[in-house]
Every structure is written in C-alpha cells, then in structure tokens.
C-alpha cells in the first residue's frame, strides 16, 4: 500500500498546527512548525482567502494526517461511520480512535501514531492473548492489549516501563506489565483530536 515518504514536518506546516507525527521532536525546540510557522513551498508565506470547500478539504486532510491514513482508507472508514446509527462525524472519530495503532499510541507504548503502526506491523502486540499485526484492527470494550512476551526486553519497551504515562479515561494501562485495557467506547468529549468533523461530513456529502 502507498505510504507518504516525504518529510513529516511539512504536513504540520501545511495544516498550520502540530500533528505530532515525530514523537518527542514535536515537543522540542527542533519542531519545524515552531521555527517556520507557515506553509511549505514557494508561496507558503502568501496570504489567500480560503473558500468553504477549502476549509472542508483542510479538515479532511488534517484528520487523515493525524491518524496516518491514505485517502481510500479514510473514505472507507467514513462510509462505515455513515452506515452506523448516531452522528456520522462522531462515529468517524470513534472508528479512528479505536484502531489498534491509535490505541497503542494512546496507551503510551509509542511516541507517535507512525511508530505505533510500525510496532503493530512488526508483531509486538497481542489482543486478548492473540498476536495482531494489523494496525487497522478495531478494538472493543473489554479488549486487553499487551506487549508480546518476547518483546518486553527490547530497549524500546524497557524505556516505556520507566515513563510516567497519562492515558485517556476510556482506557487503562499497567506500565509494569506493559498492558492496557479498553474500558469503554470513547465519547466525543474524550477525544482531544482538534478536528471539526462536521466539515468532513459536509465535504463527503456534496
């Protein structure tokens, strides 16, 4: 599957806010957005009026980039959200949040969603005792996500054990055991991703 391979910091600059794509670097003085807070490219510092369509498109692009999805993946997830009962925009964010790669990031086992996706791909995690190496795997309340026994002695997870981790209220984590649990389906109020999901719904509803 196609993957974005250009500089991740360009994406943050294009959206005008931190997408936290490079882990610790995003919190340091090396953050490209802090150093060059304008869009990349020759005309990045120019001013232009954004149309309603442009605003909707930017929100969709921002959401895609936050969660590391390609266009087809994102559109398929939107269609799934639209078929569910409830508010489509909120359904979309819930589906994005309950992807395994995002949950691994939320549990503090990875410094970014990109790193989380890589760790899942490499088979470092189990869900309810079974190895799962599919980043898009959807977790449910009651599911237990745990670092595979063979992986617990790796430098990466030894470092995690020494960290102080704060997690959202819809998950719990036992850092010593390198284990997390899904307590409930996240509500919109519990999702802190700065995305105006109604604009994405308006875009796809045209």
């Amino acid at each position: 599957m196609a993957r974005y391979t250009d500089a991740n910091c360009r994406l943050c600059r294009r959206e005008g806010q931190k997408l936290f794509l490079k882990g610790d670097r995003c919190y340091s003085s090396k953050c490209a957005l802090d150093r060059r807070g304008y869009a990349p490219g020759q005309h990045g510092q120019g001013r232009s009026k954004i149309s309603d369509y442009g605003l909707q498109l930017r929100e969709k692009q921002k959401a895609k980039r936050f969660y590391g999805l390609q266009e087809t993946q994102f559109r398929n997830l939107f269609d799934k959200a639209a078929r569910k009962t409830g508010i489509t925009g909120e359904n979309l964010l819930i589906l994005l949040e309950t992807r395994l790669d995002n949950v691994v990031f939320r549990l503090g086992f990875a410094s970014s969603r990109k790193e989380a996706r890589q760790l899942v791909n490499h088979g470092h995690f189990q869900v309810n005792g079974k190895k799962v190496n599919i980043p898009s795997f959807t977790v449910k309340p009651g599911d237990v996500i745990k670092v595979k026994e063979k992986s617990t002695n790796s430098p990466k997870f030894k470092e995690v054990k020494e960290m102080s981790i704060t997690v959202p209220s819809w998950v719990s984590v036992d850092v010593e055991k390198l284990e997390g649990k899904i307590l409930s389906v996240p509500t919109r109020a519990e999702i802190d991703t700065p995305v105006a999901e109604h604009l994405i719904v308006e875009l796809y509803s045209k």
Side-chain angles (χ1 to χ4, degrees), residues 113-125:
R113 290 181 178 89
K114 184 176 182 179
E115 183 185 34
R117 182 167 58 249
Q118 185 179 51
L119 291 173
V120 173
N121 271 327
H122 290 177
H124 290 294
F125 291 93

Side-chain angles (χ1 to χ4, degrees), residues 103 105-108 165-175 183:
V103 170
F105 167 68
R106 291 295 193 186
L107 290 171
I165 296 173
T166 302
V167 298
S169 57
W170 55 277
V171 297
S172 64
V173 64
D174 186 326
V175 178
L183 302 178

